[in-house]
Amino acid sequence: MQFKLGDIVVDVVQKDIKNIHLSVHPPAGKVRIAAPVRMDLDTIRVFAITKLAWIKSQQKKLREQERETPREYLDRESHYVWGKRYLLKLVEKDAAPTVELKHNKMILQLRPAASHEKRQEVLDAWYREQLKEVVPALIAKWEKLVGVKVGKFFVQKMKTKWGSCSPGPKNIRINTDLAKKPLQCLEYIVAHELTHLLERRHNDHFTALMDAYMPQWRQYRELLNKLPLAHQEWGY
């Protein structure tokens, strides 16, 4: 269900919840309202009108947010690992590809004449491995704090989310790009997804749980939202 406020399209989802929730999503500022099942559309529209100034300010922030330029995988191009900037250095060698961090350099060793796609593939795989090394300890820490047990975790490219979970099998998925962000951003997402194993929805109960487990979660979310977005347009 949708309605318009001028040129702003508002998506409405009615759920078995007590309170109405408004959110504005990256990258383009898509507006969503989650409302109780019995609330009529006119009431939801009036609520949205009272929040119009806030909606516009959030959309402006998102549209002005810095974006990464497309990666070309060339010498001295900037790449990030755990929030720190490294300059790419390409090394051609007839051996298996490797990635090494040395001082402020990311040394990418590839076979001669490796394609752009191969450079991207090697780096993406390396970022996945960084996450696979770090995530298990974070999961173990937050399993104890939250009181849940994770089934499996997966690391993958995700276009619309930093993480997701499957409450049935209790699996969680982590976006590969989190290896580029500060470590506390990754920990926030792990805590967020494990909390969803207790409460599926972003409701008052979920917020109260996050406040109890990680009082500073909002500042980590804000830090993540301020960092450059990937160059691709995120869809829904």
Side-chain angles (χ1 to χ4, degrees):
M1 186 163 53
Q2 291 182 334
F3 63 83
K4 280 193 168 186
L5 296 177
D7 60 349
I8 297 173
V9 176
V10 180
D11 284 340
V12 179
V13 179
Q14 290 185 289
K15 301 179 175 181
D16 183 20
I17 54 177
K18 291 181 180 178
N19 301 311
I20 190 167
H21 296 278
L22 169 66
S23 52
V24 179
H25 296 266
K30 190 167 186 176
V31 182
R32 284 178 173 171
I33 290 178
V37 173
R38 293 181 183 177
M39 188 173 284
D40 63 81
L41 192 57
D42 284 343
T43 303
I44 297 169
R45 182 188 290 273
V46 169
F47 169 80
I49 290 169
T50 67
K51 300 292 185 182
L52 195 54
W54 181 82
I55 290 170
K56 287 181 176 178
S57 73
Q58 294 299 112
Q59 287 183 329
K60 185 171 183 285
K61 280 182 192 174
L62 286 171
R63 287 165 186 164
E64 289 174 351
Q65 190 171 349
E66 185 182 353
R67 287 184 182 274
E68 291 180 354
T69 54
R71 303 290 87 180
E72 295 181 45
Y73 306 98
L74 302 174
D75 270 337
R76 299 195 63 77
E77 182 178 63
S78 293
H79 288 261
Y80 290 82
V81 183
W82 305 128
K84 184 179 176 184
R85 178 171 170 259
Y86 293 86
L87 297 178
L88 190 66
K89 179 176 175 59
L90 295 172
V91 174
E92 290 191 348
K93 189 173 181 181
D94 196 11
T98 60
V99 180
E100 181 186 5
L101 301 180
K102 209 168 198 177
H103 306 299
N104 70 331
K105 289 187 174 63
M106 174 185 275
I107 301 166
L108 175 58
Q109 178 187 294
L110 293 156
R111 296 186 190 279
S115 66
H116 173 280
E117 289 74 22
K118 183 62 179 178
R119 294 174 188 185
Q120 181 177 356
E121 179 190 314
V122 169
L123 266 186
D124 282 350
W126 182 82
Y127 276 119
R128 277 196 300 276
E129 288 307 311
Q130 304 316 296
L131 282 166
K132 285 179 181 177
E133 286 179 14
V134 171
V135 168
L138 290 176
I139 288 176
K141 173 184 173 180
W142 285 95
E143 281 177 332
K144 290 178 184 174
L145 289 167
V146 177
V148 296
K149 191 72 180 170
V150 171
K152 295 178 182 176
F153 81 91
F154 303 90
V155 176
Q156 63 189 72
K157 281 279 187 187
M158 300 169 77
K159 286 189 175 181
T160 62
K161 298 175 180 179
W162 290 115
S164 68
C165 70
S166 306
K170 300 191 183 301
N171 296 337
I172 69 167
R173 285 175 166 75
I174 300 293
N175 190 327
T176 310
D177 279 355
L178 279 166
K180 302 174 185 178
K181 312 302 181 187
L183 194 56
Q184 59 263 48
C185 294
L186 170 62
E187 184 160 11
Y188 156 63
I189 295 299
V190 169
H192 182 109
E193 298 309 330
L194 265 65
T195 302
H196 270 314
L197 297 179
L198 292 179
E199 174 53 69
R200 295 189 185 195
R201 296 185 290 266
H202 287 116
N203 54 20
D204 293 342
H205 181 224
F206 177 84
T207 301
L209 289 172
M210 285 296 293
D211 286 341
Y213 300 140
M214 183 183 267
Q216 67 277 49
W217 68 271
R218 289 176 181 83
Q219 75 186 58
Y220 296 151
R221 181 182 64 182
E222 187 177 351
L223 173 62
L224 190 53
N225 287 339
K226 280 182 176 176
L227 291 167
L229 296 167
H231 72 271
Q232 73 265 25
E233 282 293 320
W234 286 10
Y236 279 88

